[in-house]
Amino acid sequence: GAVVSQHPSRVICKSGTSVKIECRSLDFQATTMFWYRQFPKQSLMLMATSNEGSKATYEQGVEKDKFLINHASLTLSTLTVTSAHPEDSSFYICSSRPLRGQGAAVGEKLFFGSGTQLSVL
Amino acid sequence: GENVEQHPSTLSVQEGDSAVIKCTYSDSASNYFPWYKQELGKGPQLIIDIRSNVGEKKDQRIAVTLNKTAKHFSLHITETQPEDSAVYFCAAIASGGYQKVTFGTGTKLQVIP
């Protein structure tokens, strides 16, 4: 199946610093990447949808200036947590769907990255 | 918007027994229903999916059933093994473009050896 590579898998940072998380689609073109946040023992919460070459769409309650999303190419999307604080500590996951006709031709199938555990001290 | 309810939240079964997880959805426009398995500290992994034009789909020990009229779908795992222990999420999607995925609240499955 399609592969989404997410890095880093774990990051510990000091309060006030910024952290960048990268997601790459390895064998398909991802014109859209979804970014989720997951708290312990909870479901995935969609934060924003990044679109290649255009501005990301943020869900209600998600601060655009706090969570900067860049989708500069068809295979790379990044999420930057700016001026991180302890309350930003969470598990962040990206996902994307290959378009029909691309490689695996998987249509609606959503493939996830391996996640990034962010801990802000 | 779509609302997906998932039950139970936790499930413990003896190795070899079957496990069933149920989900209901609210939006009749939803027509694609994937199931994901998430192990601790990892991203969700698609394990099986079903489209609304099919009532049942099976892949080895895993099967999914869909009742469009009642708007519910279920995951069935037979002959459970310890490695099946994980959190399972159902989801509902109205296909067409890049529609949002609405996830269930998750079921923590524990298979007791």
Side-chain angles (χ1 to χ4, degrees):
Chain A
V3 177
V4 176
S5 176
Q6 182 172 349
H7 294 279
S9 58
R10 181 180 295 273
V11 60
I12 301 172
C13 68
K14 292 182 179 180
S15 185
T17 60
S18 294
V19 175
K20 180 184 283 189
I21 301 170
E22 289 190 353
C23 272
R24 294 179 184 273
S25 54
L26 298 186
D27 51 1
F28 65 95
Q29 292 179 336
T31 56
T32 300
M33 189 77 76
F34 302 96
W35 287 93
Y36 295 88
R37 183 173 182 176
Q38 187 178 34
F39 292 103
K41 299 182 181 181
Q42 293 190 23
S43 189
L44 293 85
M45 180 186 75
L46 180 65
M47 298 174 62
T49 302
S50 73
N51 302 293
E52 186 267 335
S54 64
K55 291 183 178 180
T57 303
Y58 289 81
E59 296 300 302
Q60 190 173 8
V62 178
E63 298 178 57
K64 300 179 182 180
D65 296 333
K66 177 73 172 176
F67 299 100
L68 298 179
I69 290 175
N70 184 277
H71 196 147
S73 77
L74 288 173
T75 59
L76 174 65
S77 178
T78 62
L79 167 68
T80 301
V81 182
T82 61
S83 187
H85 287 93
E87 56 266 31
D88 298 325
S89 298
S90 188
F91 193 59
Y92 294 87
I93 314 171
C94 61
S95 69
S96 188
R97 297 188 184 111
L99 293 173
R100 289 185 187 277
Q102 286 194 55
V106 291
E108 299 99 332
K109 294 183 189 293
L110 194 63
F111 293 93
F112 288 85
S114 52
T116 298
Q117 181 63 54
L118 171 63
S119 298
V120 184
L121 304 178
Chain B
E2 175 65 279
N3 181 48
V4 178
E5 295 187 357
Q6 182 172 346
H7 299 281
S9 56
T10 60
L11 178 60
S12 292
V13 299
Q14 290 292 136
E15 181 177 359
D17 288 349
S18 295
V20 180
I21 302 170
K22 298 181 179 182
C23 287
T24 60
Y25 62 99
S26 60
D27 188 352
S28 57
S30 291
N31 57 2
Y32 174 64
F33 307 93
W35 284 89
Y36 295 89
K37 175 184 181 182
Q38 186 178 26
E39 297 178 345
L40 190 63
K42 297 183 179 180
Q45 180 182 18
L46 179 68
I47 56 172
I48 195 167
D49 55 9
I50 192 168
R51 296 179 185 277
S52 58
N53 59 347
V54 176
E56 182 175 359
K57 183 177 179 180
K58 188 174 182 180
D59 182 3
Q60 300 184 337
R61 297 186 297 108
I62 296 173
V64 56
T65 58
L66 170 66
N67 183 326
K68 283 177 57 180
T69 303
K71 293 193 181 70
H72 65 69
F73 55 112
S74 301
L75 177 70
H76 305 254
I77 305 175
T78 59
E79 300 173 27
T80 54
Q81 301 168 3
E83 51 265 38
D84 294 330
S85 297
V87 178
Y88 291 82
F89 291 98
C90 62
I93 304 171
S95 65
Y98 286 94
Q99 298 296 325
K100 287 184 193 177
V101 180
T102 303
F103 290 93
T105 47
T107 297
K108 183 176 182 180
L109 173 64
Q110 181 182 18
V111 180
I112 304 168

